[in-house]
Amino acid sequence: MSQLNIGIMGASGRMGRMLIEATLNNPNTKLAGAFVRSISSLIGADSGEFIGVGKTGVPLSTITLDGVQALIDFSLPEALDEVLDACLAHKVPLVMGVTGLSDAQEAKLKAASEHVAIVYAGNYSTGVNLSLNLLATTARVLGLDADVEIIEHHHKHKIDAPSGTALMMAKAVADARGQHLPNALVHGRHGAAKRQVGDIGMHAIRGGEIIGEHTVEFIMDGEIIAITHKAQSRATFATGAVRAAEWVATQPAGLYTMQDVLGLKG
């Protein structure tokens, strides 16, 4: 079986380096492109030598999708237009891992998915996506009898808050209870206001080098159910994203999630 040619957008970033390594370590995939911003001083450097695994023959460069069969993007929201234009021009499927997209950018992503296959998820961890199913089941059974609070921890360098994963978790709970976001969300608390029935509390904590921890508490009179996921390595996100690239490369145009990739829907 031939290897899938994968391109990595944002290759010089923290996640980009992990994605390069995950692509190289997967026997079914081949690194075909490692892309950085046009102003980067790293352009021309060998991607393998850059991450310390030896020469790959794939230099860091601006985005060009000739020969690329699937693109993984964990860069920044500012690069979205360039990424979508390239994918549409070359009919290349996309795995989108950028969080913090605006409503207008999400609309562009959805429009592009009418022409190419796109996986869009706030988290590519298998454990997180299994947790979403557990959250939906718990919320469906308990309904509005449980007060729900979401607490997420991330490193001090993270730009967006709440995290994409926390929002995915909130949506899983809200959908299962017949609620709508963002109406049900209450971000933090201050002042003198009583908690309202159906509120989904959201609390974002930033500090140190925490990779990512999420806890959803279902608080009832007399007992509490807490569902927690802790990421111990970013490698789990990179491995999941490469798995998503393998999957999306064979799919028709459409907008998919990691739940589709793992066969967890329905």
Side-chain angles (χ1 to χ4, degrees), residues 190-259:
H190 64 277
K194 185 178 178 182
R195 191 186 207 285
Q196 301 299 307
V197 174
D199 283 352
I200 298 176
M202 180 70 76
H203 312 277
I205 297 169
R206 297 289 177 268
E209 296 297 333
I210 302 170
I211 293 174
E213 298 181 6
H214 297 81
T215 295
V216 181
E217 295 186 353
F218 295 85
I219 306 170
M220 297 160 284
D221 295 340
E223 60 182 337
I224 298 172
I225 297 174
I227 296 174
T228 298
H229 178 271
K230 296 183 179 182
Q232 296 180 316
S233 169
R234 288 182 180 83
T236 186
F237 309 134
T239 300
V242 173
R243 179 175 180 174
E246 290 185 80
W247 182 87
V248 78
T250 63
Q251 302 306 311
L255 189 60
Y256 305 97
T257 72
M258 195 61 179
Q259 297 278 304

Side-chain angles (χ1 to χ4, degrees), residues 68-86:
V68 171
Q69 295 171 296
L71 178 67
I72 304 176
D73 180 13
F74 274 71
S75 60
L76 293 170
E78 290 77 15
L80 182 69
D81 287 346
E82 181 182 20
V83 166
L84 291 182
D85 287 347

